[in-house]
């Protein structure tokens, strides 16, 4: 099991550590509900340095990215980021990712920790145009500073006007006494904020300064458990739960990042699926009665017949009700449709709703 550059710091702070995607990661410090509320109401900082970073450069960089991803990276300008996914050749998803255009012929791809080697091998196998590739994953750290007070609390650490940064834009600039870090107006919580990419040797200084700058704003370190409840309240997909090699971007509700104005791996099959309509769809649901849906629970119809499966579920700390995501036949996918979640021996009624569950 691998450590991040901050593992010992998390242990010293009393974090509960768990194995996650091959890394020793903090799952919680004070508790998921407290940490969740901190991000929704103030500001929290996550260590997500387990994520992978690939640098793709050279004259063929864009051509390679266009081939292996579904979104149209040609629309990117310097300082803009884009959500996308890698389609496989059987209709599923290799991984989802964020693409950053740093400069002309220079792109950063940020991928999920559990898929670093898998993604690297996949991109490499399709690099017939000989774009230049570097795997920076073991050399770089990533902090996510999230919450409505993120910009205000962090402003003293940088010359960049954080309040003016638009969603999915980024700057290569100074932060916490370190030059040339990436300050990205992205995140996985739905409460706003920034993600900071830096070298492993720089992250301790940045972590310390972030906690100091945010102290009067109530900043706290946040674990992966609250990261999961926060993203689920927004209906954001988690790779390995809601999307994987067997789920298509069309049925997963990711048609908006699947652009058929360009050619990419398996584009024809996905275009046909979009045209005829998927047989099943990923939907959000809220329980109508008390209960907690969990990954793997059956989704059943009014007759008790299994029609799908819960891919993510939790008791929403903000809404105080059971919420989840799951795949159901298209017949049951419209908002307002009634389904049931099989929780142990009891069938709990639920209503299909369009995420986000939590409205800011």
């Amino acid at each position: 099991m691998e450590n991040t550059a901050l593992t010992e710091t998390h242990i010293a702070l009393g974090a509960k550590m768990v194995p996650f995607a091959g890394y020793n990661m903090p799952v919680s410090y004070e508790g998921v509900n407290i940490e969740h509320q901190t991000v929704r109401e103030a500001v929290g900082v996550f260590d997500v340095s387990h994520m992978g970073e690939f640098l793709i450069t050279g004259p063929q960089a864009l051509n390679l990215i266009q081939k292996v991803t579904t979104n149209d990276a040609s629309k990117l300008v310097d300082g803009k980021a884009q959500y996308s996914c890698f389609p496989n050749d059987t209709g599923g998803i290799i991984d989802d990712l964020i693409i950053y255009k740093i400069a002309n012929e220079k792109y950063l791809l940020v991928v999920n920790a559990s898929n670093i080697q898998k993604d690297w091998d996949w991109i490499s196998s399709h690099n017939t145009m000989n774009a230049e590739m570097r795997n920076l994953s073991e050399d770089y750290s990533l902090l996510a500073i999230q919450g409505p007070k993120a910009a205000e609390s962090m402003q003293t650490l940088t010359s960049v006007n954080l309040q003016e940064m638009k969603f999915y834009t980024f700057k290569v600039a100074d932060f916490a006494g370190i030059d040339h870090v990436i300050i990205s107006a992205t995140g996985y919580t739905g409460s706003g904020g920034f993600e900071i990419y830096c070298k492993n040797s720089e992250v301790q200084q940045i972590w310390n300064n972030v906690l100091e700058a945010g102290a009067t704003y109530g900043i706290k370190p946040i674990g992966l458990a609250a990261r999961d409840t926060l993203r689920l309240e927004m209906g954001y997909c988690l790779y390995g739960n809601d999307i994987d090699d067997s789920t298509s971007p069309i049925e997963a509700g990711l048609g908006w990042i699947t652009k058929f104005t360009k050619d990419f791996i398996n584009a024809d099959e996905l275009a046909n699926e979009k045209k005829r309509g998927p047989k099943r769809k990923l939907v959000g649901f809220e329980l109508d009665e008390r209960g907690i849906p969990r990954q793997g629970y059956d989704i059943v119809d009014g007759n008790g017949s299994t029609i799908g499966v819960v891919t993510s579920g939790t008791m929403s700390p903000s809404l105080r009700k059971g919420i989840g995501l799951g795949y159901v036949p298209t017949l049951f996918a419209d908002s307002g449709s009634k389904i049931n979640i099989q929780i142990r021996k009891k069938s709990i009624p639920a209503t299909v709703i369009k995420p986000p569950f939590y409205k800011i």
Side-chain angles (χ1 to χ4, degrees):
M1 192 164 55
E2 300 203 36
N3 294 323
T4 74
L6 292 174
T7 294
E8 293 303 320
T9 299
H10 300 312
I11 293 171
L13 287 169
K16 179 183 178 183
M17 308 295 290
V18 298
F20 183 83
Y23 287 79
N24 190 21
M25 298 295 292
V27 67
S28 65
Y29 298 83
E30 296 181 69
V32 60
N33 289 337
I34 294 173
E35 294 169 33
H36 182 109
Q37 185 177 10
T38 295
V39 175
R40 284 284 181 248
E41 298 179 356
V43 58
V45 56
F46 304 77
D47 176 16
V48 284
S49 302
H50 58 314
M51 300 290 283
E53 294 88 16
F54 305 153
L55 191 66
I56 313 294
T57 59
Q60 295 299 319
L62 179 59
N63 287 338
L64 175 59
I65 291 168
Q66 290 287 72
K67 181 178 181 179
V68 298
T69 64
T70 57
N71 211 335
D72 188 357
S74 71
K75 302 296 185 182
L76 285 172
V77 296
D78 296 359
K80 193 82 171 68
Q82 180 186 79
Y83 181 57
S84 191
C85 72
F86 299 120
N88 63 24
D89 48 19
T90 57
I93 299 171
I94 297 281
D95 201 5
D96 61 338
L97 73 153
I98 297 179
I99 304 167
Y100 293 83
K101 185 177 183 183
I102 298 172
N104 193 34
E105 300 182 1
K106 188 176 184 180
Y107 298 83
L108 182 70
L109 276 53
V110 180
V111 303
N112 286 299
S114 58
N115 291 333
I116 292 173
Q117 191 61 52
K118 169 188 171 186
D119 292 352
W120 179 261
D121 292 344
W122 178 258
I123 300 169
S124 298
S125 71
H126 289 90
N127 187 17
T128 55
M129 62 288 292
N130 295 318
E132 299 165 38
M133 297 174 54
R134 289 175 59 198
N135 187 348
L136 307 179
S137 305
E138 294 186 2
D139 301 321
Y140 278 77
S141 294
L142 173 58
L143 301 181
I145 305 162
Q146 298 284 293
K149 297 182 180 179
E152 183 182 1
S153 63
M154 295 298 114
Q155 190 57 71
T156 59
L157 298 182
T158 180
S159 60
V160 173
N161 189 329
L162 297 177
Q163 297 280 7
E164 291 184 353
M165 286 189 68
K166 295 182 179 179
F167 195 43
Y168 266 70
T169 65
F170 68 95
K171 302 275 190 183
V172 180
D174 60 287
F175 189 85
I178 306 294
D179 291 328
H180 306 298
V181 302
I182 292 177
I183 305 170
S184 176
T186 49
Y188 197 47
T189 66
S191 283
F194 306 91
E195 294 181 305
I196 309 296
Y197 296 83
C198 63
K199 294 178 181 177
N200 290 341
S201 59
E202 300 166 340
V203 72
Q204 187 71 63
Q205 176 179 323
I206 294 177
W207 174 270
N208 292 343
N209 287 349
V210 164
L211 288 178
E212 183 179 350
T216 57
Y217 296 85
I219 197 170
K220 293 180 180 181
I222 312 295
L224 294 181
R227 180 174 165 88
D228 191 53
T229 55
L230 288 158
R231 70 92 191 169
L232 185 48
E233 284 187 347
M234 301 309 296
Y236 295 155
C237 290
L238 175 64
Y239 194 88
N241 283 43
D242 314 301
I243 52 176
D244 58 31
D245 288 289
S246 67
T247 59
S248 85
I250 306 303
E251 63 188 14
L254 298 178
W256 63 279
I257 64 165
T258 308
K259 304 296 173 60
F260 299 108
T261 53
K262 62 160 199 171
D263 188 34
F264 59 86
I265 293 167
N266 209 40
D268 289 344
E269 182 178 332
L270 292 176
N272 288 334
E273 182 183 13
K274 183 176 182 179
K275 185 177 181 179
R276 66 177 179 263
K279 294 180 179 179
R280 62 174 187 166
K281 290 184 178 179
L282 183 67
V283 299
F285 64 83
E286 290 183 351
L287 295 190
D288 298 336
E289 299 176 4
R290 188 164 182 82
I292 305 177
R294 300 293 188 193
Q295 181 189 20
Y297 285 5
D298 285 340
I299 301 174
V300 300
D301 63 16
N303 297 319
S305 299
T306 299
I307 57 171
V309 65
V310 176
T311 55
S312 291
T314 194
M315 173 63 72
S316 165
S318 300
L319 306 175
R320 301 187 183 280
K321 64 173 67 174
I323 62 171
L325 300 173
Y327 285 92
V328 297
T330 306
L331 176 66
F332 295 88
D334 291 340
S335 292
S337 295
K338 294 298 182 179
I339 56 175
N340 297 275
I341 310 302
Q342 193 67 36
I343 301 179
R344 301 181 188 87
K345 296 182 179 180
K346 191 173 181 182
S347 182
I348 306 294
T351 302
V352 171
I353 70 166
K354 184 178 180 179
F357 301 99
Y358 176 78
K359 309 295 195 297
I360 298 173

